[in-house]
Amino acid sequence: MAATTLLMSTTARLRDRRAESSRRTTATRAVRASLVSLAGLIGGPVTNQSGEEVGRVVDVVARLYGPEPYPPVTGLIIRIGRRRAFLAASAIDTVGAGQVRLRTARVDLRDYARRPGEVLLARDVMDHQLVDVDGIQVTRAADLYLTPLAGRTVLVGVDVSLPTLLRRLGPRRWQVRPTPERVLDWQSVAPFGEQATHGPAEVQLRASRSALHRLRPADLADILEDLGRHERQQLLGWLEPEQAADALEEMEPAELENLLREAAPEHAARLVDEMEPDEAADALRDLDPGEREALLTRMPADEAAGLRTLLTHREGTAGGAMTTVLVTARPDRTIAQVRAELAAQAEHRTEIDAVAVLDEHGRLVGDIPLFDLAVAEDTALVGDLAEWLAQFAPPVTVRPDTRLAEAADHLVAARASSLLVIDDAGRPLGRILADDILDALLPERGRLHFRRLLK
């Protein structure tokens, strides 16, 4: 009985699954059948209700940065003789393969004035770069696809295939036929409307920010490196400064150098200011002295002073590779108090793997790894924990002028994940993490750009 019930249940699930698959296939076919190629539409006739030609399509206007998931067409730019005029979407009856039919024999033609969030699809999007957020790559729009939806025409997809480019070079009868072999859903791309009017920021950035925020810093770095100059700066403007700085820290030095030179000095200074100190110092070292000073003078005084101190250390030394982000504690502090301090430094989590214990003169007496802090009792004293750890091994330290190769030897010998840089009096100046040493000693390893190689 149980076996029979299980068999019937399984059969029912398979039947439902086949039915759902069939419905999806039917829906996909229906969407494909209704697609209209933007490339095929440009230059096509615009006819009135009587079938008489009114003009020719020059471009399609869409509200690209509005609240809708699929941008609605708000009108057409059409050519009538030597004149170009705007035709509102309310006058359009149907948008078909290579042609537009109007609702009435009389149309209200007016001069076009771009409104916030509107973009000319053929001029501003087609053949331009965009970001495929799902595929995490930069690509180019070979064609755009429109379709009727809920009584209006909307932009639903981007064709990025080579056959589409070839189709556009063929005769007119080929151009009007969509070839959706490799189409990206519009909701999975971040486009760059180069000439788009600047509307309210929350409107313009809604779709792009929500999609781009899903990407890791390394993925954003790849995208920034693949974009053209204008698109790269536009993408940086979309991101929160903290997110942009995280991506910049993952970029190749030469690409980062170009990016900072391309950006307005105020924007570049803000981005560098948001980077971790060691990464920011590395970025500034690659600039000319005049360029470097132009950015430093535009930063808050405290941050600029800290970076100037880091820049006094030679490249290839411990002082040149260290970060000045340190969490310190006095011996009489409790573990709970130190954990609260660590929580307050969450934005620097990638730069902190231990807490330096200092005496009343600021000299180093111990270095407690985060794991030992995590398993210690809340009421335990930091000094007692540091003293207990000292019986196994003293803190690993180097001087600012220590060569990185020597620092790496100390790190390996101690089997530690970081080491402290101290001055002649034993006061901590900064910390070097293992990955910082690898970055400095193995700069040729780079990051692998598989997508760029396969494109």
Side-chain angles (χ1 to χ4, degrees), residues 310 313 322-324 326 400 420-423 427-431:
L310 283 176
H313 299 292
M322 70 182 180
T323 177
T324 54
L326 290 174
L420 285 164
V421 182
I422 61 174
D423 62 15
R427 292 184 293 264
L429 301 174
R431 184 182 295 276

Side-chain angles (χ1 to χ4, degrees), residues 54 144 270 324 329 411:
V54 174
L144 303 177
R270 187 178 181 188
T324 54
L411 199 67

Side-chain angles (χ1 to χ4, degrees), residues 380-399:
L381 295 179
V382 169
D384 293 339
L385 180 56
E387 185 178 347
W388 179 76
L389 290 171
Q391 65 181 317
F392 302 105
V396 187
T397 63
V398 292
R399 297 300 170 85

Side-chain angles (χ1 to χ4, degrees), residues 183-210:
V183 178
L184 306 178
D185 186 282
W186 182 257
Q187 295 186 72
S188 71
V189 303
F192 301 97
E194 182 173 353
Q195 303 299 328
T197 303
H198 291 295
E202 65 272 11
V203 173
Q204 185 175 1
L205 306 184
R206 179 199 61 81
S208 298
R209 274 190 175 175
S210 62

Side-chain angles (χ1 to χ4, degrees), residues 138-160:
V138 175
T139 186
R140 195 171 291 273
D143 199 358
L144 303 177
Y145 291 140
L146 311 171
T147 193
L149 181 67
R152 58 183 179 175
T153 302
V154 298
L155 173 60
V156 295
V158 181
D159 193 327
V160 296

Side-chain angles (χ1 to χ4, degrees), residues 236-440:
L236 282 176
W238 286 354
L239 302 174
E240 296 292 342
E242 298 83 359
Q243 187 187 18
D246 288 342
L248 265 55
E249 291 172 5
E250 298 289 337
M251 291 182 67
E252 298 291 349
E255 295 284 355
L256 177 56
E257 180 182 348
N258 290 335
L259 184 149
L260 293 177
R261 285 192 170 123
E262 295 166 0
E266 293 78 8
H267 190 205
R270 187 178 181 188
L271 291 173
V272 174
D273 182 41
E274 291 290 344
M275 296 172 68
E276 295 295 344
D278 55 330
E279 300 284 356
D282 286 342
L284 291 172
R285 278 195 186 92
D286 293 330
L287 300 177
D288 295 334
E291 296 170 325
R292 184 186 311 138
E293 191 60 29
L295 299 189
L296 287 169
T297 55
R298 288 172 168 82
M299 294 181 195
D302 290 345
E303 284 77 358
L307 289 175
R308 284 193 171 95
T309 299
L310 283 176
L311 290 168
T312 61
H313 299 292
R314 290 180 300 160
E315 193 170 6
T317 64
M322 70 182 180
T323 177
T324 54
V325 176
L326 290 174
V327 176
T328 62
R330 295 287 295 274
D332 58 352
R333 303 282 284 178
T334 66
I335 297 297
Q337 290 172 321
V338 175
R339 286 181 186 146
E341 173 63 19
L342 285 169
Q345 297 290 332
E347 62 181 303
H348 300 294
R349 62 173 63 88
T350 59
E351 300 291 302
I352 299 171
D353 73 337
V355 173
V357 183
L358 311 181
D359 65 17
E360 65 274 15
H361 301 293
R363 294 186 294 251
L364 182 69
V365 296
D367 196 26
I368 305 177
L370 294 187
F371 177 81
D372 293 288
L373 283 167
V375 300
E377 295 288 341
D378 288 349
T379 56
L381 295 179
V382 169
D384 293 339
L385 180 56
E387 185 178 347
W388 179 76
L389 290 171
Q391 65 181 317
F392 302 105
V396 187
T397 63
V398 292
R399 297 300 170 85
D401 58 352
T402 301
R403 301 299 299 178
L404 281 178
E406 183 182 345
D409 291 339
H410 286 295
L411 199 67
V412 172
R415 296 183 177 272
S417 59
S418 72
L419 49 80
L420 285 164
V421 182
I422 61 174
D423 62 15
D424 293 337
R427 292 184 293 264
L429 301 174
R431 184 182 295 276
I432 306 180
L433 299 173
D435 63 330
D436 294 328
I437 291 180
L438 286 175
D439 287 340

